[in-house]
Amino acid sequence: MSVKAARGLVVLYLAALAIALTFPGVLPFNRVYPFVLGMPFVIFWSAAWVALGVVALGLLERAVAREEREAGRRPVNRPTPMT
Amino acid sequence: MERWHIVSGVVFAYLVLTLVIGIVSGRRVTHDVTGYVAADRQFGLLPLYFIIGGTVFSAFAFLGAPGWAYSRGVAALYILGYGVLGMAPWYFIGARASRLGRSRGYVTQAQLVTGRFPARSLSVLLALISVAAFVPYIMLQMSGAGIVFATVTDGHVPFWLGAALSYGVVVLYVLVGGAAAVGWTNVFQGVIMMVVAWGVGLYIPGLLYGGVGPMFEQINAARPELLALPGLRADGTPWSWGGYSTAILSSAIGIAMWPHIFMKAFTARDERTLRLSVVLYPTFQLFLVPLLLVGFAGVLFGTRPDNPDHILPHLLLQTGMPALAIGLFCAGALAASMSTGDGLLHAAASIAIEDGIAPFVKLNEQRQRMLMQVLVLSVGAAAYYLAIIARPNLVWLLLTAYGLIDQIAPPVYAALYWRRATTAAVVSGLIAGSATCIFFLWKPGLRPFDMHEGVLGVIVNVAVLVAVSLRTKPQPDPHIASFVGAGSPQGPGEAVRGEA
């Protein structure tokens, strides 16, 4: 994915989140059943949007990092890997 | 040995370890202002991940969040909703701020804003808003620590002593180690917070109801109103959609604008590190889910705490958990309180000197650092004194703070993204927005659609900013270019890249 597309995706994700979790976008999902992971649907719905953030931002970071590599502009210091 | 002995032992061990980590890490940075305020811009991904999580989530996560779920039901979901919405834009803003900080030597938020909009009045205004918002926030963290201590030791360690012990440790390591101490202790504190939250959150519903699913089946049968948005108000009456929705928006605008969080952009080793810490932030935030589950577990529990915010420690004590586990919970809650309180205390001192005093008086680095340390001590002491004598108004004060912090967002966004913005406009917008916010706090009945005063303030703030900008002379192009053109990671202007 290009950086531009990934960037659009993140903006889209944020806009969708803002709509999906507030009035009136949340209304269709404001329900108890079905339970997911033992939680009422509306709780799962809110948590899932949070988790989705890692995916959206992760895709963007992958695209940005690849572009930086291709342009030969490595960051000055390598970040500590999360192990 | 009584239960509270073991609990206090665990907590004492936690406090000693925190102090050691803080003091040792603080000795490894330089003794100038950048060392004290921004830890020499050397934090890698692992520390930054926990610094951001630990700083964002305060004692509120362990006390207030379960308290909301317990007394107000799914209204508490607003806390889940705003975090990512508020932090994701930081992928762009934070990286840009980090780069500008590196090339231009900024260590505070106001320095960045006044770099684009040079005005000492703006610097002082931002410093005033920051410090005014910090003090009640610090007080709230202190009283959180005091409450946890008093509850889990059955009052053997009184409120005042618990707050004094934990914040004595905080003041010491902030004093000695500055940002480095704040950062490395936050790593330790962040790990404890996550482990305790997930542990307690999954254990208690299982213990009381045989699982999360059965728990919600029972709640849905007995109290269905708790499981339908927008949930309830604190008094048990239904909350409004306007209130719920704008609570999410207001907090989302404010979260990354809190100056003590924003400043962390200047501590990152490089932009990529900062970006990755934002990418991973939602994984930290999900620890709110188990904490909300504990709150729900209290709904059908036989006994009630005297205050909904005490539901988590109440359940721990009433379900006969082993003392070791209670001690660990206590360490987790203290970690949450302290990992926010230390950042606040450190930022309050740094900002007061860097943005409030330094623009007017010529001070050398040694002098600035020393003044900051004096302020850490005096702000800590003042907040402690106020926390002990003035508890009832705290929540109201913190709400005021959130609305005011929202008003910093338009100046920051304008500084980095809008070429046409002018200094006069930013100052007028900030004043108009803050005044609006304070007005609606004073007259909550006049708020349209029950909207949050912070959001109302931002609407006025932005309107004034745009209107005045278009009527004043634009800034010179070369000046703007280094801020707006400085580009998000893939932006066009790469003029300031390749420094360091």
Side-chain angles (χ1 to χ4, degrees):
Chain A
M1 198 183 321
S2 75
V3 169
K4 208 170 162 195
R7 220 176 165 193
L9 186 80
V10 167
V11 172
L12 204 71
Y13 157 75
L14 289 174
L17 181 147
I19 293 169
L21 296 186
T22 59
F23 182 83
V26 74
L27 286 178
F29 311 98
N30 187 15
R31 50 199 297 161
V32 174
Y33 295 103
F35 276 23
V36 185
L37 299 172
M39 294 182 290
F41 189 79
V42 66
I43 299 181
F44 164 76
W45 178 250
S46 304
W49 277 100
V50 175
L52 208 58
V54 184
V55 180
L57 288 165
L59 284 173
L60 174 58
E61 176 55 31
R62 217 177 60 166
V64 169
R66 195 178 52 216
E67 197 195 64
E68 274 182 353
R69 258 199 318 278
E70 279 165 10
R73 303 177 307 193
R74 283 182 162 270
V76 184
N77 294 302
R78 302 295 301 163
T80 318
M82 281 271 290
T83 41
Chain B
M1 197 151 59
E2 288 179 58
R3 181 171 71 182
W4 75 274
H5 290 142
I6 303 173
V7 174
S8 311
V10 174
V11 175
F12 190 70
Y14 154 76
L15 286 176
V16 169
L17 227 89
T18 307
L19 187 61
V20 170
I21 293 173
I23 288 178
V24 169
S25 53
R27 291 170 53 156
R28 304 201 328 216
V29 288
T30 54
H31 288 274
D32 58 15
V33 168
T34 309
Y36 192 76
V37 181
D40 292 333
R41 309 185 199 277
Q42 279 306 318
F43 283 136
L45 180 58
L46 183 74
L48 209 58
Y49 172 77
F50 285 107
I51 288 167
I52 293 177
T55 310
V56 167
F57 296 105
S58 65
F60 179 82
F62 279 79
L63 300 172
W68 268 63
Y70 165 70
S71 61
R72 307 179 61 170
V74 286
L77 289 179
Y78 103 84
I79 307 162
L80 259 184
Y82 78 76
V84 176
L85 189 59
M87 285 307 287
W90 227 48
Y91 182 92
F92 308 103
I93 308 173
R96 201 179 278 210
S98 167
R99 182 185 320 172
L100 283 163
R102 197 174 294 278
S103 63
R104 295 176 155 245
Y106 301 144
V107 288
T108 70
Q109 184 186 42
Q111 286 173 348
L112 176 74
V113 174
T114 55
R116 165 81 200 272
F117 307 115
R120 289 195 296 192
S121 60
L122 187 56
S123 180
V124 172
L125 207 57
L126 288 170
L128 276 178
I129 291 178
S130 308
V131 176
F134 283 175
V135 170
Y137 204 171
I138 299 174
M139 287 158 62
L140 206 61
Q141 298 313 313
M142 284 181 174
S143 60
I147 290 168
V148 168
F149 254 113
T151 314
V152 301
T153 60
D154 306 315
H156 285 100
V157 177
F159 175 82
W160 64 268
L161 182 60
L165 275 176
S166 37
Y167 276 80
V169 168
V170 168
V171 165
L172 254 174
Y173 72 71
V174 173
L175 210 55
V176 176
V182 171
W184 287 107
T185 53
N186 284 6
V187 174
F188 176 55
Q189 290 158 336
V191 171
I192 295 185
M193 284 162 71
M194 283 183 97
V195 170
V196 169
W198 283 102
V200 169
L202 296 179
Y203 179 74
I204 287 191
L207 180 75
L208 294 179
Y209 302 88
V212 175
M215 172 176 87
F216 280 114
E217 291 285 4
Q218 291 182 38
I219 294 173
N220 191 41
R223 303 276 313 274
E225 73 277 11
L226 286 176
L227 298 184
L229 283 175
L232 308 177
R233 291 176 201 270
D235 60 7
T237 58
W239 203 10
S240 68
W241 276 114
Y244 178 80
S245 304
T246 51
I248 292 182
L249 295 180
S250 159
S251 309
I253 298 169
I255 182 171
M257 290 302 140
W258 275 94
H260 65 295
I261 297 175
F262 193 94
M263 280 170 74
K264 300 295 189 279
F266 302 120
T267 67
R269 181 187 291 167
D270 54 36
E271 286 160 53
R272 185 170 155 76
T273 307
L274 192 85
R275 295 193 321 247
L276 280 169
S277 70
V278 180
V279 172
L280 292 173
Y281 167 77
T283 61
F284 197 108
Q285 202 201 327
L286 282 173
F287 93 133
L288 285 171
V289 173
L291 289 170
L292 295 181
L293 294 182
V294 178
F296 281 111
V299 171
L300 300 176
F301 192 69
T303 56
R304 328 204 121 252
D306 44 357
N307 178 331
D309 288 351
H310 302 177
I311 185 68
L312 179 39
H314 177 81
L315 285 180
L316 285 175
L317 293 171
Q318 298 300 316
T319 50
M321 294 266 278
L324 198 66
I326 297 175
L328 272 175
F329 155 75
C330 191
L334 285 183
S337 155
M338 292 162 72
S339 61
T340 304
D342 59 3
L344 287 165
L345 206 54
H346 172 260
S350 307
I351 288 170
I353 301 301
E354 286 293 299
D355 304 331
I357 310 284
F360 298 93
V361 188
K362 202 106 195 90
L363 294 166
N364 64 30
E365 299 248 322
Q366 229 102 47
R367 204 52 184 268
Q368 287 186 32
R369 191 185 153 118
M370 198 201 73
L371 277 175
M372 283 173 196
Q373 288 169 319
V374 170
L375 266 183
V376 166
L377 208 57
S378 34
V379 172
Y384 176 73
Y385 177 72
L386 290 169
I388 298 296
I389 61 162
R391 271 203 283 167
N393 289 321
L394 273 182
V395 175
W396 187 84
L397 279 170
L398 193 65
L399 284 177
T400 322
Y402 244 106
L404 283 177
I405 293 299
D406 283 350
Q407 309 313 317
I408 302 178
V412 168
Y413 277 94
L416 298 177
Y417 291 98
W418 197 35
R419 312 183 68 90
R420 190 62 184 80
T422 65
T423 306
V426 166
V427 175
S428 344
L430 189 58
I431 292 174
S434 307
T436 309
C437 179
I438 291 168
F439 173 80
F440 284 114
L441 262 164
W442 175 52
K443 296 263 183 211
L446 296 178
R447 291 175 307 172
F449 308 110
D450 197 26
M451 282 167 78
H452 192 281
E453 60 279 352
V455 174
L456 292 165
V458 167
I459 293 172
V460 173
N461 190 335
V462 170
V464 171
L465 200 166
V466 171
V468 177
S469 285
L470 297 176
R471 276 168 185 73
T472 41
K473 200 166 135 278
Q475 291 185 318
D477 268 341
H479 173 72
I480 301 171
S482 57
F483 290 88
V484 181
S488 44
Q490 63 292 346
E494 298 297 336
V496 287
R497 206 176 249 283
E499 67 297 310

